[in-house]
Amino acid sequence: MIDSTPGLTPLSDGIGVALTGLRISKGADRETINTIVTLLYRHAVVCIPDQELTPAQLADFGACFGKPIHHTEADLRLDGLPGVMSLSNADNRDDRQLNGGAHWHTDLVHTDEPASFTMLNAIAVPPSGGRTLFADQVAAYEALPQAMRQRVDTMTVIHCYEARTDGSMALVRHPLVRPHPVTGRRALYGAADTGIGIEGMSGDSARQFLLELAEHATDQRFVYRHAYNKHDVVIWDNSQLLHSAELLERSRSPEQDRIMHRVSVRGWPQGEL
Ligand code: OGA
Ligand code: MN
């Protein structure tokens, strides 16, 4: 609900906006959700500061945006809530989980229906590091020379999440350029390291092409780095950006803890467009 006059502040020259004046713990009405959804479509990343939420409150808030995705690794679920996951450097989870998000990716791109929005609520924030990097894929697409845009427009990428590990997971195909499901704006989609091939192209050429494209897509000029304040809620629109966590050290004292509660959803609300 609205707590005081809502305010908007850009987070960078490109993507990202901060929205103040909300108190999510008291619930969010349809109008508020519509406003946030519209901001997500316009700015790709929305930060709502100062939201101290229980996992159940975060779950309820997340469910206003779409269908919560139940995380496959049950031991990462919080408080018996299948849609809320804990990201933490403060427990003894293995290295793959500790730095599972520290590579450029689109959430759930290795499934038939990837996530639309993901949101993190910052429970503990270390004094340095622990940021999330967001690369604007609309700008990256628009910055390509026209001949290259035409070329990528028709390409289909073959994704395998475990391309980064043992290659045993299913292959999924997605267009390399995707008009946004609601706004229609074109963006590079999933031009990152889950891509292992391009339909109709030999393996080696495809891998080389994707490597060069990923370098372009994550160039500094497209990147916003979000440094969290405790209790931020940060939401992003996966169809417009790539994101990556910064590499984390395992925490050795409470001040170094980085703990995020996370909800990821499927579905495309209309907003006010
Ligand atoms: C994620 C993710 C980034 C981060 O939760 O999907 O990529 O900074 N997180 O923790
Ligand atoms: Mn992610």
Side-chain angles (χ1 to χ4, degrees), residues 28-65:
D29 55 26
R30 215 354 82 193
E31 199 185 328
T32 305
I33 297 298
N34 271 343
T35 303
I36 299 169
V37 166
T38 306
L39 290 172
L40 279 163
Y41 293 153
R42 284 196 191 132
H43 302 279
V45 180
V46 175
C47 174
I48 310 172
D50 294 326
Q51 307 300 319
E52 190 171 1
L53 303 176
T54 64
Q57 286 168 337
L58 182 66
D60 287 348
F61 179 66
C64 297
F65 293 83

Side-chain angles (χ1 to χ4, degrees), residues 136-149:
D136 180 350
Q137 296 303 285
V138 174
Y141 173 70
E142 288 175 355
L144 289 171
Q146 201 197 341
M148 182 58 105
R149 284 206 298 271

Side-chain angles (χ1 to χ4, degrees), residues 15 45 99-109 131-137 159-161 164 189-195 210-211 213-226 236 238 240-246:
I15 50 177
V45 180
N99 279 310
H103 65 110
W104 288 108
H105 65 283
T106 302
D107 289 330
L108 282 295
V109 76
R131 297 177 299 181
T132 308
L133 281 47
F134 296 100
D136 180 350
Q137 296 303 285
H159 293 272
C160 178
Y161 192 69
R164 299 181 305 116
Y189 188 68
D193 61 1
T194 51
L210 286 171
L211 216 58
L213 192 68
E215 209 161 291
H216 165 81
T218 57
D219 187 88
Q220 295 307 316
R221 73 197 136 131
F222 307 127
V223 174
Y224 163 63
R225 294 174 169 71
H226 187 78
W236 63 87
N238 277 292
Q240 298 184 56
L241 43 76
L242 287 169
H243 66 280
S244 172
E246 285 185 319

Side-chain angles (χ1 to χ4, degrees), residues 108-126:
L108 282 295
V109 76
H110 57 292
T111 64
D112 285 333
E113 195 189 347
S116 46
F117 307 114
T118 302
M119 61 195 71
L120 300 182
N121 186 203
I123 307 302
V125 175

